[in-house]
């Protein structure tokens, strides 16, 4: 009984910490992105609100919350509101299977810094990635607007194409690790002493493409192509209702997928113990934010593909390459491993 | 002589380029260079760039101060000028040259001693397109354009400038750049800090 209460408390604390950290980070990533994008283009980014513009996310949040709630005519109201949650929840749920560091002991209990230590964590990531598409789809459908609808259709096409590639790309890592559990994947990388990016560079590049596509980042941001579709599926939303969508898709989704990528390819929290007891956590965050840096860097550099090119690219090039890579890995493991 | 750099552009990427994402990497290096560079932003209300010498801003009148051209010297006797006041002769040349002539309101009266005195010279800057034709047309080098470009006002009536405003501008802003060498940027040093070293062709 005592054990059960302890476990429940630990899980509640984990959920609270993860929620607070991810939502806070999500808000502050807007500041980070704006600052970073500014400096990439030899601008300054936000400077006025607070030192280095650090209070900008708070100002933005206040501004979004005090906007007049406008609902356009002809909107499917239930779906219109549901779409917001459908977009936000899967993005947060992704963090349930993100291991933030190695397991440690408190009061004789072993605690793993992960909300849900699933055996099928990677499969869960794919599932939640696909679920996020429903938020976009419903938002586009419920808005009763051509721009929103075209944007959501594009997103659907994108998710259908890239989810397949994402699965095949990650599957070759799962083959190497022999497990879908994130802890097992990291442990097998620590045991062999080699990060899987060394064995699977092609798979990593494919994963990176899918990461960009799933989270609607350039060069695959066809669903919110500002030049053609105003801002795509969320054009009819206003105030904080609008703010949720970029938060969920651009920040939380990207952050979670970067964390998963660092688990799959960069050995999670593996690294020399130079920061004392927190070294695992710091290494994990460093790798995740390194990937995030790269994603933002790509976003603010490259132009956008055409919608047809994006889907064609996935089916004609990425999918065959990923299948060949997977079969090659399977043969390698069968004969050598 | 300007050297042209000719670039050849293929319709499709070569095999090496498309496999190694060379074009992606090229773009990424450019943005990385920008990231390590100092921002070139001018933080506008805090810092302002000095406009070029030939900038065509708010209009001004050069005043009667002894620097007149010979054309004015010839008819000086027929005008009732005051020191430090506008040297306009109300010839209506500016209005004639203007693409939007109705923006001028120029009036002159005859003084008791027979000389001519300009009493009114208004310009409605809302209609002005700052082409500078009036300045070129002025035969006595009176009308000029200054570097004042922050001209937002709250009422339409405030956008109409009068002769005393223009005299003030002519005596200060326009007079400051009057005798500078005819270069694009008045202050190269200030410009270099913002935009880097400039190579002049002349």
């Amino acid at each position: 009984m005592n054990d059960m209460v302890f476990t429940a408390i630990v899980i509640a604390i984990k959920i609270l910490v993860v929620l607070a950290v991810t939502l806070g980070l999500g808000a502050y990533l807007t500041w980070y992105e704006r600052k970073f994008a500014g400096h990439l283009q030899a601008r300054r980014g936000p400077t006025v609100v607070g030192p280095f513009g650090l209070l900008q996310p708070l100002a933005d949040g206040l501004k979004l919350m005090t906007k007049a709630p406008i609902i356009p005519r002809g909107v499917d109201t239930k779906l219109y509101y549901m779409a917001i949650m459908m977009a936000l929840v899967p993005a947060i749920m992704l963090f349930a299977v993100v291991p933030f560091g190695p397991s440690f002991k408190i009061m004789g209990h072993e605690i793993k810094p992960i909300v849900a230590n699933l055996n099928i964590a990677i499969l869960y990531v794919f599932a939640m990635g696909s679920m996020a598409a429903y938020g976009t789809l419903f938002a586009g459908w419920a808005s009763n607007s051509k721009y929103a609808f075209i944007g959501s259709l594009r997103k659907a096409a994108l998710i259908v194409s890239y989810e397949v590639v994402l699965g095949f790309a990650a599957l070759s890592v799962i083959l190497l690790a022999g497990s879908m559990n994130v802890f097992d994947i990291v442990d097998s990388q620590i045991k062999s002493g080699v990060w899987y990016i060394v064995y699977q560079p092609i798979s990593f590049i494919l994963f990176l493409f899918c990461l960009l596509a799933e989270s609607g980042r350039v060069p695959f941001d066809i669903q919110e192509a500002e030049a053609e579709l105003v801002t795509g599926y969320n054009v009819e939303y206003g105030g904080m209702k609008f703010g949720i969508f970029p938060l969920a898709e651009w920040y939380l989704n990207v952050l979670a997928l970067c964390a998963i990528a660092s688990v799959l390819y960069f050995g999670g929290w593996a690294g020399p113990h130079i920061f004392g007891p927190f070294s695992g956590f710091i290494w994990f965050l460093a790798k995740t934010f390194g990937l995030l840096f790269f994603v933002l860097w790509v976003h603010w550099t490259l132009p956008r593909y055409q919608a047809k090119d994006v889907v064609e690219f996935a089916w004609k090039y990425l999918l065959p390459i990923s299948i060949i890579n997977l079969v090659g890995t399977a043969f390698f493991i069968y004969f050598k491993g | 002589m300007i050297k042209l750099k000719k670039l050849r552009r293929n319709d499709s990427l070569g095999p090496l380029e498309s496999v190694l994402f060379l074009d992606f990497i090229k773009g990424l290096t450019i943005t990385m260079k920008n990231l390590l560079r100092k921002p070139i932003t001018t933080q506008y209300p805090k810092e302002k760039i000095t406009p070029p010498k030939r900038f065509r801003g708010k209009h001004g009148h050069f005043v009667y101060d002894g620097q007149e051209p010979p054309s004015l010297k010839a008819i000086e006797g027929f005008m009732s000028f005051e020191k430090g006041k506008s040297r306009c002769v109300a010839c209506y040349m500016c209005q004639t040259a203007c693409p939007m002539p109705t923006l001028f309101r120029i009036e002159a009266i005859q003084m008791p001693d027979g000389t001519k005195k300009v009493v009114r010279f208004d310009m409605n800057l809302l209609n002005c397109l700052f082409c500078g034709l009036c300045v070129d047309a002025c035969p006595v080098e009176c009308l000029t354009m200054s570097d004042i470009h922050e001209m937002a006002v709250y009422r339409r009536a405030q956008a109409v400038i009068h002769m005393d405003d223009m005299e003030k501008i002519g005596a200060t802003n326009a007079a400051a750049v009057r005798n500078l060498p005819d270069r694009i940027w008045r202050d190269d040093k200030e410009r270099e800090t913002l935009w880097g070293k400039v190579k002049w062709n002349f």
Side-chain angles (χ1 to χ4, degrees):
Chain A
M1 182 58 205
N2 201 11
D3 216 34
M4 229 175 98
V5 171
F6 184 80
T7 317
I9 289 170
V10 164
I11 286 178
I13 289 173
K14 276 179 191 169
I15 290 173
L16 276 180
V17 166
V18 165
L19 264 185
V21 166
T22 52
L23 289 180
L25 261 183
Y28 260 88
L29 278 178
T30 61
W31 172 82
Y32 176 66
E33 167 150 26
R34 288 171 66 179
K35 204 79 183 164
F36 183 69
H39 280 276
L40 272 186
Q41 298 167 351
R43 296 184 282 113
R44 279 176 200 274
T47 52
V48 178
V49 192
F52 304 107
L54 266 173
L55 299 178
Q56 190 69 43
L58 299 181
D60 286 347
L62 270 180
K63 174 222 168 201
L64 284 177
M65 278 180 214
T66 47
K67 287 248 168 187
I70 296 168
I71 297 171
R73 209 175 295 138
V75 154
D76 188 338
T77 318
K78 268 183 206 161
L79 273 185
Y80 183 78
Y81 279 107
M82 209 166 87
I84 304 166
M85 282 298 118
M86 293 286 281
L88 181 64
V89 169
I92 294 178
M93 295 264 276
L94 274 176
F95 285 95
V97 293
V98 171
F100 288 94
S103 54
F104 54 89
K105 280 195 174 173
I106 288 181
M107 293 154 59
H109 294 269
E110 197 189 10
I111 293 173
K112 290 183 171 175
I114 182 172
V115 175
N117 191 13
L118 295 179
N119 285 331
I120 50 159
I122 303 301
L123 205 60
Y124 174 88
V125 169
F126 300 154
M128 284 303 148
S130 315
M131 285 283 284
Y134 282 106
T136 319
L137 266 177
F138 284 172
W141 170 257
S143 293
N144 193 27
S145 149
K146 59 181 178 235
Y147 297 120
F149 188 57
I150 293 172
S152 66
L153 283 187
R154 285 183 176 189
K155 175 79 178 180
L158 198 95
I159 289 281
V160 166
S161 321
Y162 279 84
E163 200 63 34
V164 183
V165 184
L166 183 69
F168 277 110
L171 210 56
S172 41
V173 170
I174 293 163
L175 265 181
L176 281 177
S179 169
M180 281 197 185
N181 186 317
V182 278
F183 273 88
D184 291 349
I185 292 172
V186 174
D187 283 339
S188 68
Q189 288 181 63
I190 292 173
K191 210 180 289 168
S192 65
V194 181
W195 294 349
Y196 283 150
I197 188 171
V198 179
Y199 291 140
Q200 297 287 351
I202 297 169
S203 160
F204 172 66
I205 289 168
L206 295 174
F207 192 94
L208 208 59
F209 272 112
C210 299
L211 192 158
L212 293 172
E214 288 245 325
S215 51
R217 287 281 180 180
V218 169
F220 304 114
D221 65 336
I222 50 169
Q223 80 268 28
E224 52 211 13
E226 294 95 347
E228 308 136 39
L229 295 181
V230 199
T231 143
Y233 61 93
N234 53 21
V235 66
E236 299 297 342
Y237 287 81
M240 205 60 204
K241 292 202 287 294
F242 160 76
I244 294 285
F245 281 106
L247 177 75
E249 198 179 30
W250 275 26
Y251 299 109
L252 294 183
N253 216 341
V254 158
L255 196 63
L257 283 173
C258 283
I260 295 296
S262 72
V263 165
L264 285 178
Y265 296 99
F266 291 97
W269 57 85
H273 288 274
I274 49 175
F275 304 113
F278 294 107
S279 118
F281 295 90
I282 290 173
W283 275 115
F284 180 76
L285 286 180
K287 284 164 188 172
T288 306
F289 277 94
L291 270 174
L292 189 79
F293 176 87
F294 183 75
V295 169
L296 291 184
W297 184 15
V298 167
H299 182 117
W300 290 98
T301 299
L302 299 180
R304 180 183 308 123
Y305 276 115
Q306 283 181 26
K308 68 169 172 51
D309 286 348
V310 171
V311 179
E312 191 183 283
F313 188 56
W315 290 110
K316 278 193 181 170
Y317 301 102
L318 296 187
L319 187 61
I321 291 171
S322 65
I323 290 175
I324 291 167
N325 185 42
L326 177 66
V327 172
T329 313
F331 270 106
F332 178 80
I333 288 168
Y334 184 75
F335 289 114
K336 288 278 175 80
Chain B
M1 179 66 198
I2 302 162
K3 273 183 195 166
L4 285 178
K5 193 181 170 188
K6 282 191 177 135
L7 293 171
R8 199 167 48 83
R9 205 117 204 183
N10 296 336
D11 288 339
S12 57
L13 298 171
L16 200 69
E17 277 182 319
S18 52
V19 169
L20 294 178
F21 302 108
L22 283 186
D23 42 349
F24 279 28
I25 292 165
K26 221 179 270 176
L28 290 174
T29 42
I30 287 170
T31 42
M32 185 44 77
K33 268 181 207 159
N34 273 336
L35 181 68
L36 302 174
R37 197 174 137 196
K38 219 173 126 244
I40 58 167
T41 315
T42 313
Q43 290 185 301
Y44 166 63
K46 277 190 241 160
E47 51 187 55
K48 293 173 186 176
I49 296 180
T50 324
K53 198 225 162 186
R54 292 188 187 178
F55 190 83
R56 299 203 296 257
K58 203 172 189 174
H59 298 73
H61 271 189
F62 280 129
V63 292
Y64 184 68
D65 55 357
Q67 289 185 39
E68 287 77 27
S71 58
L72 186 65
K73 289 271 192 303
I75 56 167
E76 219 170 5
F78 304 103
M79 301 296 303
S80 90
F81 285 140
E82 288 169 49
K83 276 276 178 222
K85 291 284 176 189
S86 167
R87 65 165 92 139
C88 178
V89 293
C91 61
Y92 295 88
M93 285 287 196
C94 43
Q95 193 172 17
T96 313
C98 186
M100 180 66 197
T102 48
L103 69 89
F104 285 97
R105 284 282 186 282
I106 307 168
E107 280 169 20
I109 54 166
Q110 194 172 21
M111 299 297 278
D113 60 348
T115 55
K116 187 181 182 184
K117 182 174 172 62
V118 184
V119 290
R120 183 173 175 185
F121 194 103
D122 296 350
M123 289 180 75
N124 182 359
L125 291 187
L126 287 176
N127 286 342
C128 183
L129 49 92
F130 298 94
C131 59
L133 289 180
C134 49
V135 176
D136 291 346
C138 187
V140 293
E141 289 181 18
C142 169
L143 195 59
T144 182
M145 286 171 118
S146 68
D147 57 355
I148 298 174
H149 54 276
E150 292 153 324
M151 285 181 284
V153 286
Y154 287 102
R155 297 176 169 281
R156 278 163 187 260
Q158 290 169 350
V160 180
I161 54 170
H162 309 284
M163 198 156 71
D164 45 348
D165 305 329
M166 292 205 245
E167 280 161 359
K168 222 173 279 166
I169 291 168
T172 55
N173 291 53
V177 291
R178 192 174 189 190
N179 296 321
L180 287 180
D182 194 7
R183 299 275 288 273
I184 293 176
W185 291 95
R186 194 193 304 176
D187 194 343
D188 282 353
K189 235 177 222 154
E190 186 184 352
R191 190 180 182 281
E192 272 162 24
T193 56
L194 289 163
W195 300 89
K197 188 88 182 156
V198 187
K199 277 182 193 152
W200 300 98
N201 277 335
F202 51 86

